[in-house]
Amino acid sequence: MLSDNQLYAKAKTASQNAYAPYSQFKVGAAVLTESGSIYSGCNVENASYGNAICAERVAIAKAVSEGDRNIRSIAVYTEGKDLSPCGICRQFISEFGSKITVIYRSSGQIIAKEISDLLPDSFSKKDLR
Ligand code: THU
């Protein structure tokens, strides 16, 4: 099974494919599933700015669309800067489990936190019952 640092390196590689002509902010993400598979993603922007999709959601959608939705961890990367997932992505990640590890750079260090710590008291399927 890949280490956190190895998954972070996969997110870095994925950032090379970022389509970010509007923000110039290139992001990569990599998902590791319980089966040991890796799915990477990058942000994909659009001339209709609000139509951009973040790297994390691209990577997760790739895993889920391959029928592999037992997500163990997700790493997110941008060059030379701290970056933690945006609110929409936190909600998107938490859909697939409260214990998913999120790997990102904070104060210059690569750290790992559980999604439930990044999005406490989240809205989820239990609220729809
Ligand atoms: N972005 C991501 O891909 N992931 C994040 O966690 C934060 C933001 C993208 C969206 C947009 O293409 C660009 O970064 C600037 O917001």
Side-chain angles (χ1 to χ4, degrees):
M1 202 58 84
L2 234 56
S3 69
D4 289 357
N5 281 339
Q6 287 171 318
L7 194 65
Y8 191 76
K10 297 275 184 196
K12 178 176 181 175
T13 301
S15 72
Q16 291 168 7
N17 291 328
Y19 178 71
Y22 306 106
S23 72
Q24 313 296 333
F25 193 75
K26 296 182 167 200
V27 183
V31 162
L32 175 66
T33 62
E34 297 294 348
S35 67
S37 296
I38 297 147
Y39 302 87
S40 62
C42 61
N43 53 332
V44 183
E45 297 186 345
N46 193 274
S48 175
Y49 292 175
N51 205 8
I53 184 166
C54 293
E56 298 93 315
R57 280 176 284 145
V58 170
I60 291 172
K62 283 172 69 178
V64 173
S65 64
E66 293 298 318
D68 197 1
R69 64 169 108 95
N70 289 326
I71 296 172
R72 175 186 279 248
S73 52
I74 179 167
V76 57
Y77 172 91
T78 196
E79 183 71 45
K81 283 196 180 79
D82 287 352
L83 175 63
S84 70
C86 79
I88 293 175
C89 288
R90 291 177 193 213
Q91 178 70 23
F92 206 85
I93 294 164
S94 68
E95 177 69 23
F96 299 100
S98 59
K99 303 252 179 254
I100 294 171
T101 301
V102 184
I103 301 149
Y104 61 97
R105 194 183 109 163
S106 172
S107 301
Q109 311 278 353
I110 310 309
I111 65 165
K113 280 195 184 176
E114 258 184 25
I115 187 62
S116 57
D117 292 327
L118 294 176
L119 190 65
D121 299 329
S122 68
F123 177 77
S124 71
K125 48 182 89 111
K126 72 182 179 321
D127 297 302
L128 295 173
R129 277 188 216 123

